[in-house]
Amino acid sequence: MKESFDYTILAFAGGVGGAKLALGLAGLLDPEHLTIAVNTGDDFEHLGLRISPDLDTVMYTLAGLANPETGWGLIGESWNSLDALGRLGGETWFRLGDRDLATHIERTRRLRAGETLSLVTRHFCRSLGVMADVIPMTDDPVRTVVHTDEGALPFQEYFVHRRCEPRVRDFEFAGITSAKPLPQLLERLAQADALIYCPSNPYVSIAPIISLPGVRSLIASRRSAGMPVVAVSPIVGGAALKGPAAKMMTELGLESTVTALAKHYAGTIGGLVIDRVDAAAAPHIESVGIRTLVTETVMKTDEDKMRLARETVEFAKSLMRHGDGETGRQGDKETD
């Protein structure tokens, strides 16, 4: 039975860290009180199939099917198709397991038959028992391009094939100016009691969603009307727990710290959840007008995910009471 949180949350998510907090939020809130908008800038076409890595990671995690060791893919996966593909000289750098292939085959079939990505995602989620609304940020194609010292690389080429080795110079979201935000995303953004940025990469997971036409201005309008916007830091002790966020920050000429993250989000969020190891940074974060919640942000167990989700929602509620932009630091339960 869900806890009694009569509070509507819109969460932006992408990747493993985002999926973990999304699971905690889904365990905390009734389905009608939660929408998870997922980055699709990582989507690409591979082996003739439409792959949606972030959507699948969130979907598999909420369904209890994600590989606990990697955070992505399916638990108990086998690799017979990939092995056979390799013997034939095919590309095997993007690891698609046998069961995972079924998702991509059926998604591709439905898209070619004229269904939208959002409709396919909803069907898949319900088929796997996921009741929370998991939505793509758009039904239109947006592709993240990483500009590096070796030239422009499609995101999956940079992230998986090249293992994030090239030095990052900038990011581009091809197709973003003509892409339409999913209508449900705009509706939930206009209605939500709070917006939460999950601990996902701020540059390639959260930024594509915010960069969709009209989304940034609607967030600003809702903040002005009192809706709190809270981010959970993916940076802990100067490192990213998963993914290349810290490396990207360093290569962009920034410090890989929660303070630098706060400056990146300054003016767009009212609260930042940081780990206890970064507690000394709280005054610096507050100096740019962002309230902080200092707690344990590393999610190793489902209990950790639920606890962090509960604390983040309660933190957001406190910002709504006291004003999104009011500075001040919070501990686990009370304001200092």
Side-chain angles (χ1 to χ4, degrees), residues 9 25 29 56 66 88 114 128 139 160 167 213 220-221 282 294 302 309:
I9 297 292
L25 291 168
L29 301 163
D56 291 344
L88 296 173
L128 296 177
D139 278 328
V160 179
R167 291 182 62 84
S221 174
V294 180
D302 287 350

Side-chain angles (χ1 to χ4, degrees), residues 56-57 59-61 63-79 97-100:
D56 291 344
T57 295
M59 179 176 70
Y60 291 159
T61 299
L65 299 173
N67 184 331
E69 296 181 2
T70 61
W72 55 267
L74 287 160
I75 190 170
E77 189 60 278
S78 57
W79 307 94
D98 296 327
R99 295 167 60 212
D100 189 31

Side-chain angles (χ1 to χ4, degrees), residues 206-284:
I206 302 300
I209 307 175
I210 299 173
S211 299
L212 285 165
V215 170
R216 193 184 305 272
S217 60
L218 183 52
I219 292 173
S221 174
R222 289 301 324 278
R223 282 195 70 209
S224 297
M227 181 191 74
V229 180
V230 171
V232 180
S233 175
I235 302 296
V236 176
L241 294 176
K242 196 77 175 179
K247 178 179 183 291
M248 288 176 172
M249 294 175 77
T250 300
E251 292 172 357
L252 290 171
L254 306 170
E255 294 181 341
S256 59
T257 64
V258 291
T259 304
L261 177 69
K263 291 178 180 177
H264 171 75
Y265 278 139
T268 64
I269 66 172
L272 182 63
V273 181
I274 64 175
D275 196 83
R276 293 188 187 280
V277 301
D278 294 310
H284 302 285

Side-chain angles (χ1 to χ4, degrees), residues 266-327:
T268 64
I269 66 172
L272 182 63
V273 181
I274 64 175
D275 196 83
R276 293 188 187 280
V277 301
D278 294 310
H284 302 285
I285 296 171
E286 292 155 12
S287 71
V288 298
I290 298 173
R291 289 166 59 91
T292 57
L293 171 66
V294 180
T295 187
E296 302 286 346
T297 63
V298 180
M299 294 173 282
K300 296 181 179 179
T301 66
D302 287 350
E303 289 74 20
D304 291 337
K305 301 176 184 82
M306 281 281 291
R307 174 194 50 75
L308 183 59
R310 183 185 306 106
E311 292 176 356
T312 302
V313 170
E314 289 175 345
F315 181 42
K317 291 179 73 173
S318 76
L319 294 184
M320 187 165 65
R321 288 195 302 268
H322 300 297
D324 182 308
E326 180 185 348
T327 59

